[in-house]
Each structure stands twice: as C-alpha cells, then as structure tokens.
Amino acid sequence: MNEIADLILFNGKVTTLDRSNPQAEAVAVKDGRILFAGLASEAMRLAGPQTQTVDAGGRRIVPGLIDSHMHIIRGGLNYNMELRWDGVRSLAQAMEMLKAQVAITPPPQWVRVVGGFTEHQFAEKRLPTLDEINAAAPDTPVFILHLYDRALLNAAALRVVGYTRDTPNPPGGEILRDGAGNPTGLLVASPNATILYATLAKGPKLPPEYQKNSTRHFMREVNRLGVTSVIDAGGGFQNYPDDYAIIEELAREGQLTVRIAYNLFTQKPKDELADFAGWAKQVKPGQGDDLYRANGAGEMLVYSAADFEDFQQPRPEMPANMEGDLEPVIRLLAENRWPWRLHATYDETISRALDVFEKVNRDVPLKGLNWFFDHAETISDRNIERVAALGGGIAVQHRMAYQGEYFAERYGARTTERTPPIRRMLDMGVPVGAGTDATRVASYNPWVSLSWLVTGKTLGGLSLYPASNLLDREAALRLWTEANTWFSTEPGKKGQIKQGQLADIIVLSDDYFSVPGERIQDITSVLTLLGGVPVHGDGDFRTLAPDLPPPMPDWSPVRRFGGYQERAAAGENRLAFASACGCAKSCGVHGHAHWGAWGASLPVEDARGFFGALGCGCWAV
C-alpha cells in the first residue's frame, strides 16, 4: 500500500464491526474513506509530511452512529427556539430552567418545551401543574409538549392561540375546560396528536437566516452525541419542497455535518395520492450524493392508516377506508420503485397494511424496494413472517423508554415483555434498525436508545423485558450503525470501520463495552469525524473542529442551556452558572453557552478558571 493518509487516528480501542477484522489500534483515512484499520505500527507507515495524526488517548472508537428515524430537518428549523428538558432528572430543575428562559424571552416569542422528555424521568414523577406554569410565566406564552399525549399552555399562550369557551374540540383531540367551560390550558390527544402540533404551529417562526443557524447548531448537537447519519422521516408541517429549502442550502454550501437521507411525508388528508404522484415526477430515490439524498416515501402514507401511540388512550381502530386509501399509494410507489416507510404502532394496523402490500405484490413484486414499518411495538410473529416474505424491514425506536410505564399499566407486564420483539425480529431474519423518533416524542440522544436496547429499562427505571428480548452490546451497536444502512439503501457504504467505507468515526467519552448498563445513556463523543474531517471536538479534541457562530437569536435557550442535559451532578453546576449570569457569550466549543455541556463537566475550580478566562462574571459563583 503506497498511499499516504490524510489523517491517522491512533492509540485507540477500535471496534470496527467488520467481522473479518473486528478490532484495531489505529485507523487511517484518505479522501474521506477508510484506508486502513489495524495495528498502529502499520498505520503509521501511511503517514506523510501533511498527514494529521490524532492520539485517541486509549479511548474506545466506533463507527459513527446512524439514526434511522429522526425528524432532523424540521427539528433543525426550530432547535434554537426550544428549551430542551431532555435528560433533566428533576421537575424542580426543569422549572428553574423555564423561569430563567421566561426572563429573557422577548414578546411576542414563546417559551417552548417540545418533547424529548417524560414525566417518569423526573424524581418527582409528575409534570408541572398549570398553576405552577402560570406562576413561572404570567405574561410570556409557554407551550410544553409531553410525548404524544398532551400539551400544557399557560394563560398567555391560550390568549395568543385564541382558544376560548367557544372553541370546539377538533377531531381526535380535546381542549380541557373548567366548570365554566373555559379552556384550562391542557390539550389532550384523544387519540391523535393533531391538536398538539396544530397549536404549536400557531407560534412565531424563526426567519430563514436564524433557521439556518439553528439547523447548524442542531447538527452539531447530534454530532456531540456521535451521530453522523440520519434518515429523516418527514413530518407534519414539513412540506416539500418549501421546508427543505434551508437544509438544501446548507448542502449546497458544504455545511452539512450529518449525512441526511430524506423521506417525503404527505401533508394533505384525502390528497395523499396526488402528493406522491407529483413528487414522483420531481425527485427519484437515491437522487443526490453521500451527504444529502432522497430516500423514499413516508412515514405518513395515508392519514387513515396513522395509529398514534398514545398509550394512555385505548388502541385506535383504523377506519374502514384504510385499505382503499392505502392501496393506490402503495401501487404507485411500487410501480415507480420508491421505497417507503409506514408508521404503525399496533399489530392490528400492521395486519391490515400487510393485506394491502401482499395484494400489490401479486402484481408488482416488492422485493428489493427496502420498504419498512416504523415502530411496530406490538407486532406478532405471524406478521414478522409476512414482512420477511415480502422483503421488508422494521425500524424500531426507544419510545418505550419514555412511556413503557403507561403501556404496562394498560396492557400488563406480560404483554409489555415484547414491545417491540426485537430479538424475535432478528432471529426471523428481518432487517432491523434503530432510531429515536426525535425530537417531539423521545429524545435525539442515541445512547438512551442503546441503554434501552441493552438493559430493557425505561428512563423511570422500570424493567420492561426478559433477557430473551435484550441485546448484547455489539448487537445493539450494529442496529445503530451497519444495520441501518439497509434502510437508506446504502449497505457497504458506511456503518463499519472497514477499508473503502466512508470515514465516519467517533471517539467515545466512556467505553461503551465496559461501563455499567445504566451509564450507557451518559456517553458522548469527544471527537466526531465525518468523512475523516472533525465536525465536533470536546476536551483535548476541542480545537480540531471548527467553531460555530453563536446561536441566533440572542435569547435562544441553546445559548443558555445547550441541548441534552447531563444526568450527573455536573449538570446541576451548569444550571447554577446559567442562573447566576445573564450574559450569553458563546464558548465556541459546541456553540453552547460557556456554561454548556463541556463547562458543566469540569470540576468547579476548573470551571471558574475557564469562565474567568472568558471574562464572564459567572466564574465568581
């Protein structure tokens, strides 16, 4: 091998996921791809005068993580406006964050907590009351979304959205009212979440320049957690092509730090077929490049087949017209060789969808299309067999880590043991991949998913699964890397540290293979490489990645709190520093405020020195 490497990462414990070469000491990169993985002595023979060498310090190195189900395009447009309670472990801390953000949010803006948390993660095991929210924010509109089940609005938010005693309940939703018939501020999905998202859509949007900045910060945030690729599952109020303009501009400018394969999600009940027929003339699956490419249709194909998973409500029965609506869409997609994904929580919905797929398959064979179901918490063995026979797959998400308590209370512990039956899916030969369904339900943190796959526990500590439905750590990691390439029709291109594959690599803060299971969720990436180029660095590696401009606007919660909140006591230091100081100077490490994820991980004395060097008064606390 006579080639000279662009970068060599050495002194690491490399898990390649390449079965022919499972472990390595060093990785060499050339032109964005893996040139070599093996002994450090051999890797160093590929170094030249211009080769960048990076000492991993003995840390665990794995392939970059791939999220097969995230709403990163929509999430990026809104990230800078959102106060994230992801990872917060007490309601008291969450409410302190809310109060601090209310104090700096100017009219007519809202304070929004949009998913990514569950009441079960809080020590208090409850949500805030409406009285508590109104006391914290008497004048600033506050919108808090909890899973798919409810939203809490303070009185100021009710005023700006215009809900009164005369506002009727929309189909599938409920505006809770007091004895006089006036809205209380609690919106309930009964059973679907349309009322929650339609209400959120009434809030102000960021201007395009700020949306672009917001998307860059969200990408950097998931880079911080080790994510290098995402399959975007579309989403409500994410219209194509209008709401894709920002991500496409970033792609043209070479500013993407996450590889994105996007799906198109129908927005118009009763007009779904027209949507897909029109899109089939505009774009083709695979169109684009390795950084930004079209993937297919869904996860919404027709509205009559959407069974939202609000486990506090009984299972919804899909309407009689589901099959009639779904068949022409599936037939169109199959004839145009478009892969699709279909949101389906319950086995009953999956059975009816498979009836349609099998009917179309008799005329237009589906094998080779890489179509799949999303979620599938209650899928039966019989339907797993049917999926396999049609050449389909199943993408699973860690929604049960956030609402397993609700499912167990409604359906019992025995039924909960296989929600979803991941080990059974794998044993039956179905392609299975993992993702988060972030940002409005579960969090975008992949390590929460990996912890759930390995331990079977919810964020509230409830053990859901027997050993027979748990995965070992390597099997779980494969669902987040190599296995997920099937869902974007990219097997062999990425997902392993293997010669010729894209050099998407992460260096971990802690050793995934040896930390206790409950600490897996606390892992981050200290160095993230996309095509061999650093896109995130932390600690000793922080100077390797370029800085971002500060989050916009200047009142953005991201400036003050960052994104996912550490569980450790250090996270409490972050809140103390944030509350003590009203400034919002960016540290340039993550683009977070200087009391952000990195600063909060420091001992207090080191943090004082760091903050003092930035010239901020918070160092004095």
Side-chain angles (χ1 to χ4, degrees):
M1 186 181 298
N2 298 320
E3 294 186 80
I4 301 300
D6 298 325
L7 178 144
I8 297 173
L9 186 60
F10 68 97
N11 188 24
K13 295 179 288 187
V14 184
T15 297
T16 67
L17 299 182
D18 173 7
R19 288 184 170 89
S20 66
N21 179 36
Q23 302 292 331
E25 298 174 344
V27 184
V29 176
K30 174 73 172 178
D31 295 332
R33 294 185 177 270
I34 307 294
L35 178 62
F36 172 82
L39 295 174
S41 58
E42 295 183 32
M44 286 305 181
R45 293 174 191 160
L46 304 172
Q50 304 302 314
T51 300
Q52 182 180 15
T53 57
V54 179
D55 185 344
R59 294 183 179 275
R60 178 68 61 182
I61 299 170
V62 301
L65 302 183
I66 302 169
D67 191 330
S68 61
H69 187 134
M70 190 201 288
H71 301 274
I72 194 168
I73 295 173
R74 182 182 65 192
L77 298 178
N78 298 291
Y79 177 68
N80 280 3
M81 290 194 294
E82 295 173 352
L83 176 67
R84 304 302 305 181
W85 282 356
D86 304 43
V88 176
R89 292 311 172 107
S90 78
L91 179 59
Q93 181 181 346
M95 289 303 291
E96 284 300 315
M97 293 170 68
L98 181 70
K99 292 174 188 175
Q101 186 58 40
V102 165
I104 64 167
T105 301
Q109 298 295 334
W110 300 8
V111 175
R112 314 168 199 228
V113 181
V114 186
F117 77 99
T118 170
E119 64 178 321
H120 302 293
Q121 76 193 40
F122 295 146
E124 298 88 343
K125 303 297 182 185
R126 70 175 180 88
L127 293 173
T129 66
L130 291 168
D131 286 343
E132 289 170 332
I133 297 169
N134 279 306
D139 302 310
T140 302
V142 171
F143 178 99
I144 300 174
L145 175 69
H146 182 254
L147 305 174
Y148 268 136
D149 63 52
R150 73 193 75 176
L152 294 86
L153 281 67
N154 67 347
L158 281 175
R159 287 194 296 271
V160 298
V161 300
Y163 293 164
T164 69
R165 62 182 300 158
D166 299 320
T167 305
N169 285 334
E174 184 177 0
I175 302 170
L176 264 67
R177 304 169 194 272
D178 62 20
N182 296 308
T184 63
L186 180 60
L187 309 180
V188 177
S190 303
N192 73 62
T194 302
I195 185 176
L196 311 182
Y197 297 153
T199 303
L200 178 60
K202 294 176 181 287
K205 293 180 171 59
L206 292 173
E209 180 186 2
Y210 289 16
Q211 289 181 335
K212 190 173 178 181
N213 175 280
S214 177
T215 299
R216 294 185 67 192
H217 276 276
F218 188 37
M219 288 190 296
R220 184 69 68 95
E221 167 70 353
V222 299
N223 292 155
R224 184 179 72 85
L225 296 168
V227 175
T228 55
S229 289
V230 166
I231 308 176
D232 186 280
F237 300 94
Q238 183 176 320
N239 290 278
Y240 182 83
D242 296 349
D243 293 322
Y244 291 69
I246 296 295
I247 201 73
E248 291 186 352
E249 183 178 342
L250 290 168
R252 287 193 301 271
E253 294 174 353
Q255 294 190 42
L256 294 186
T257 61
V258 176
R259 302 185 193 276
I260 298 173
Y262 62 88
N263 283 67
L264 299 185
F265 180 115
T266 187
Q267 301 291 318
K268 305 168 187 174
K270 307 298 183 184
D271 287 334
E272 299 98 333
L273 182 61
D275 270 346
F276 290 117
W279 291 334
K281 297 174 183 176
Q282 298 177 48
V283 63
K284 294 185 181 301
Q287 181 176 312
D289 56 27
D290 290 338
L291 274 171
Y292 183 72
R293 63 198 299 272
N295 194 53
E299 62 181 297
M300 182 72 79
L301 295 179
V302 295
Y303 278 78
S304 55
D307 63 348
F308 292 104
E309 92 305 343
D310 181 356
F311 298 137
Q312 296 197 69
Q313 297 284 335
R315 176 183 63 82
E317 190 69 44
M318 297 298 95
N321 58 301
M322 170 184 158
E323 288 85 351
D325 293 345
L326 187 58
E327 183 183 340
V329 170
I330 296 300
R331 193 170 294 276
L332 173 77
L333 296 173
E335 289 172 348
N336 284 275
R337 309 311 292 170
W338 269 57
W340 69 81
R341 61 192 311 158
L342 178 63
H343 169 112
T345 301
Y346 297 100
D347 191 57
E348 291 80 357
T349 308
I350 293 168
S351 289
R352 293 176 62 182
L354 284 169
D355 289 343
V356 173
F357 297 174
E358 288 167 346
K359 182 179 179 181
V360 172
N361 181 66
R362 288 193 285 271
D363 302 321
V364 188
L366 304 185
K367 281 198 175 181
L369 273 183
N370 290 37
W371 67 269
F372 56 97
F373 285 111
D374 278 302
H375 316 311
E377 275 84 359
T378 71
I379 191 170
S380 63
D381 282 3
R382 173 61 186 133
N383 280 339
I384 298 172
E385 291 175 356
R386 295 172 72 190
V387 171
L390 291 173
I394 301 172
V396 299
Q397 297 78 39
H398 62 312
R399 304 189 310 183
M400 289 293 290
Y402 289 79
Q403 48 192 321
E405 287 86 352
Y406 298 142
F407 188 98
E409 182 179 356
R410 178 168 294 277
Y411 297 108
R414 185 65 180 271
T415 303
T416 305
E417 288 181 352
R418 44 175 289 149
T419 52
I422 298 173
R423 173 51 63 189
R424 188 68 176 143
M425 296 171 186
L426 291 168
D427 290 345
M428 295 173 76
V430 172
V432 179
T436 60
D437 199 10
T439 58
R440 293 183 174 178
V441 183
S443 176
Y444 52 78
N445 188 338
W447 301 101
V448 176
S449 169
L450 283 155
S451 176
W452 166 73
L453 290 167
V454 168
T455 69
K457 291 184 178 180
T458 69
L459 282 174
L462 177 66
S463 291
L464 300 173
Y465 312 131
S468 59
N469 198 31
L470 299 178
L471 301 184
D472 63 60
R473 297 192 191 201
E474 181 176 318
L477 184 61
R478 284 188 186 277
L479 294 195
W480 266 94
T481 50
E482 176 190 12
N484 268 341
T485 63
W486 184 91
F487 296 84
S488 58
T489 322
E490 298 176 286
K493 182 179 288 186
K494 57 187 177 182
Q496 299 167 290
I497 299 177
K498 182 177 182 179
Q499 185 177 5
Q501 291 203 13
L502 293 167
D504 301 345
I505 302 169
I506 57 176
V507 181
L508 303 183
S509 61
D510 297 282
D511 192 341
Y512 166 70
F513 288 98
S514 63
V515 295
E518 66 273 11
R519 303 303 300 185
I520 291 174
Q521 63 188 281
D522 301 318
I523 293 173
T524 62
S525 172
V526 294
L527 177 62
T528 301
L529 303 178
L530 186 76
V533 177
V535 293
H536 160 75
D538 201 358
D540 292 341
F541 306 96
R542 66 183 180 271
T543 60
L544 298 181
D547 290 344
L548 286 179
M552 299 164 62
D554 57 7
W555 52 265
S556 169
V558 176
R559 286 203 183 206
R560 185 167 265 237
F561 298 108
Y564 195 90
Q565 306 291 299
E566 284 95 345
R567 185 166 57 140
E572 297 172 5
N573 291 341
R574 174 190 347 194
L575 180 61
F577 289 123
S579 299
C581 177
C583 75
K585 184 174 180 180
S586 173
C587 68
V589 176
H590 307 125
H592 292 171
H594 52 259
W595 50 75
W598 183 73
S601 68
L602 296 172
V604 170
E605 290 303 317
D606 290 347
R608 285 195 178 113
F610 176 65
F611 297 152
L614 287 169
C616 174
C618 346
W619 64 272
V621 301

